[in-house]
Amino acid sequence: MAWFYKMTGDADLVEQQKPAFVEFLKSLKFPAAPASGGAAQMSPAFPPGHPAIGDTMTPAAASGPVSHEGQPNWQVPAGWQEVPAGQFLIAKFTLAGDGGAAAAVNVAMSAGDGGGLAANVNRWRGQLGLTPLSTDDLNKSLTTVAVTAGTAWLVEISDTDARTGQPTRLVGVVVSQPDRTWFYKLMGDAKVVESQKDAFTQFVQGVKY
C-alpha cells in the first residue's frame, strides 16, 4: 500500500509551510496490516485536530464560503472583494482595475519567524523572476512601517510575473511579533498595485491583533 501526501498552493506559502508539512509526515504512525488481509482498512494516526481527509483534490476553502476564523480586526478598504482564502491563507482579497486588470491581497500568518525575513522577501522576488538579494542589498530595499503591534518592514518589487509573463508589481509587508509573523502581499497589474498601494499600507497599519 502506498500513501500520497501533497501540499499545493501559492508558491511562497508552500515554501513557508514546507518544514511544518515535513514534520507532519514524520508524525504519522501506520498500524500493521491485519493478518486477515484487510490492509485496505489501514489508516494513519493523524495528529490531534487534523481535519478529515476526503478524496477531493481541491482545498475545501477554495469553494466554500468566506471564513473569518483567525482574522484580527481590520477595516477592509472600499472596492476590495473578499474571496475564500484557500489553504495557508488567513484572508484573500481581489482588486479590479480598468480593462480587466487585477491584483490581489494575500494575508498569511506563521508561527515564529516564518522562515525569516530574507527568505520570504527573496521568495517574493522569485515570483517576479528576480534573483535573491544578499543580506546587505535586501536590508537596503526595506523600509519600516508603523503598525499597532510588532515591527514591520515594507518591500516593493517590480518586474515580470514568472507565471504569466506580464509586467507585475508587488508590495509586501512583514509584521514580526514575539510568537508569530504576519505576511501581507499586494501583487498584480502594476497600475492596479500603484493605485492601491496607499490603501494597502493603511490597511496593514490599522490591523488590531
Side-chain angles (χ1 to χ4, degrees):
M1 176 174 290
W3 294 86
F4 299 87
Y5 298 84
K6 181 179 76 169
M7 177 171 65
T8 184
D10 183 84
D12 59 338
L13 290 171
V14 169
E15 181 64 23
Q16 175 185 312
Q17 292 293 332
K18 179 181 175 182
F21 180 65
V22 173
E23 289 302 313
F24 161 70
L25 295 177
K26 291 179 180 179
S27 73
L28 298 175
K29 294 179 175 61
F30 296 88
S36 60
Q41 302 299 318
M42 189 171 62
S43 61
F46 295 109
H50 190 276
I53 300 298
D55 59 1
T56 177
M57 300 297 288
T58 304
S63 58
V66 173
S67 171
H68 296 100
E69 181 179 358
Q71 292 185 4
N73 294 319
W74 53 41
Q75 184 66 42
V76 179
W80 288 22
Q81 178 65 47
E82 187 170 9
V83 296
Q87 287 181 314
F88 310 126
L89 290 179
I90 298 295
K92 183 180 182 70
F93 305 92
T94 57
L95 293 62
D98 296 331
V105 172
N106 288 356
V107 182
M109 184 273 291
S110 179
D113 66 0
L117 179 62
N120 283 284
V121 172
N122 280 327
R123 193 171 303 122
W124 284 341
R125 288 178 56 82
Q127 292 182 356
L128 272 67
L130 298 173
T131 57
L133 290 176
S134 66
T135 300
D136 288 342
D137 288 338
L138 185 142
N139 288 336
K140 294 176 183 177
S141 71
L142 299 173
T143 57
T144 58
V145 178
V147 294
T148 58
T151 304
W153 294 269
L154 181 146
V155 62
E156 298 186 54
I157 309 169
S158 297
D159 208 277
T160 301
D161 189 323
R163 294 167 292 186
T164 66
Q166 298 299 313
T168 304
R169 187 173 178 188
L170 184 155
V171 180
V173 177
V174 179
V175 179
S176 177
Q177 296 180 314
D179 61 342
R180 66 194 64 191
T181 304
W182 292 83
F183 300 91
Y184 299 87
K185 183 181 72 172
L186 165 62
M187 178 176 171
D189 179 86
K191 291 182 179 179
V192 177
V193 171
E194 176 61 27
S195 68
Q196 293 288 336
K197 177 187 172 182
D198 288 344
F200 170 73
T201 304
Q202 292 170 12
F203 167 72
V204 175
Q205 290 178 306
V207 177
K208 295 180 173 60
Y209 302 95

